[in-house]
Amino acid sequence: AQKITQTQPGMFVQEKEAVTLDCTYDTSDPSYGLFWYKQPSSGEMIFLIYQGSYDQQNATEGRYSLNFQKARKSANLVISASQLGDSAMYFCAMRDLYSGAGSYQLTFGKGTKLSVIP
Amino acid sequence: DGGITQSPKYLFRKEGQNVTLSCEQNLNHDAMYWYRQDPGQGLRLIYYSQIVNDFQKGDIAEGYSVSREKKESFPLTVTSAQKNPTAFYLCASNGDGLEHEQFFGPGTRLTVL
């Protein structure tokens, strides 16, 4: 079974500063994918970034980067130059890439609420 | 524009009533999902469907039912057997390929009066 742990229920960051949101995971699967989503107060889930377990480099997408440490089973999201619009819930999720049933199921953490202070 | 629509945005139900939440996608995705989100919690999988006319129970399927008669549509019925149905419900779909992300609809907030 897969498990995602996000230990920070809430975080504050000053506008224009960088912030790291923690995510640790547990899986026995040899190949897996890690996803980060943003959920603003409107409720819709917005995909941010993806990291495959066999990717050699850490993923980056604009101001988002993923600090992937496979041995420590962590996949922390780094947001650079925080903006007021970054205030939202952030969820880490994972999926087995050898899913024989092809279900593409995601396992989600409980999320971190990020508040950006002007 | 391609995407997922959910209706209604807000839904109120009296105890003992069944209600159906709509989910439609025009992304041509085979796989579709229903999640439930409670305050301060992550998403929990209710049902999923990998192909038309086939669906599987997720982690919290009791009190819910689904159908998948068309590729574009995956409605969720919250039955009177669901003891605590007040929650935020999200529908999602996934393109082919395990490295592809799930796309989400805007959600339906269900409140039982």
Side-chain angles (χ1 to χ4, degrees):
Chain A
Q2 299 171 339
K3 184 177 180 181
I4 295 283
T5 303
Q6 294 181 253
T7 57
Q8 306 154 313
M11 289 279 289
F12 291 90
V13 63
Q14 202 75 35
E15 192 178 6
K16 301 181 183 178
E17 297 292 316
V19 63
T20 297
L21 306 183
D22 294 342
C23 172
T24 58
Y25 58 90
D26 190 19
T27 181
S28 57
D29 300 312
S31 182
Y32 48 89
L34 294 152
F35 301 78
W36 276 92
Y37 283 85
K38 172 184 178 181
Q39 187 180 42
S41 57
S42 60
E44 188 166 357
M45 298 285 283
I46 302 167
F47 167 72
L48 297 177
I49 195 166
Y50 167 82
Q51 177 83 44
S53 60
Y54 283 105
D55 291 341
Q56 295 298 314
Q57 292 185 323
N58 287 344
T60 61
E61 288 286 349
R63 293 187 299 111
Y64 305 108
S65 61
L66 209 151
N67 183 2
F68 181 49
Q69 298 187 46
K70 192 172 181 178
R72 300 179 62 179
K73 293 190 175 180
S74 73
N76 299 338
L77 177 70
V78 181
I79 305 174
S80 63
S82 296
Q83 303 171 355
L84 296 178
D86 293 335
S87 293
M89 285 290 291
Y90 288 82
F91 292 94
C92 180
M94 74 179 300
R95 166 191 290 150
D96 167 21
L97 296 184
Y98 281 144
S99 177
S103 67
Y104 303 149
Q105 288 188 57
L106 286 175
T107 299
F108 285 85
K110 292 189 175 182
T112 295
K113 183 175 182 179
L114 177 66
S115 300
V116 180
I117 304 168
Chain B
D1 290 334
I4 301 177
T5 57
Q6 290 185 242
S7 61
K9 187 174 179 66
Y10 298 96
L11 186 57
F12 298 91
R13 186 195 97 172
K14 293 181 180 179
E15 283 192 20
Q17 287 182 335
N18 292 356
V19 290
T20 298
L21 282 58
S22 170
C23 176
E24 303 277 334
Q25 56 101 356
N26 61 2
L27 299 167
N28 200 34
H29 289 168
D30 284 315
M32 295 187 73
Y33 309 80
W34 274 105
Y35 293 94
R36 169 181 172 139
Q37 186 178 24
D38 294 286
Q41 300 295 314
L43 279 63
R44 292 185 291 169
L45 183 65
I46 304 172
Y47 267 98
Y48 65 95
S49 169
Q50 297 170 228
I51 199 167
V52 174
N53 293 322
D54 182 66
F55 47 83
Q56 306 294 328
K57 292 181 179 180
D59 301 321
I60 55 166
E62 186 176 352
Y64 300 97
S65 66
V66 293
S67 63
R68 187 81 187 279
E69 297 177 2
K70 299 187 299 182
K71 188 175 185 178
E72 301 80 16
S73 179
F74 191 39
L76 173 74
T77 297
V78 184
T79 74
S80 57
Q82 170 50 237
K83 297 306 179 187
N84 186 21
T86 295
F88 187 57
Y89 292 87
L90 284 158
C91 179
S93 70
N94 212 117
D96 288 340
L98 289 164
E99 296 184 358
H100 290 184
E101 71 272 25
Q102 286 187 7
F103 292 84
F104 285 81
T108 292
R109 193 166 300 277
L110 173 63
T111 302
V112 173
L113 303 174

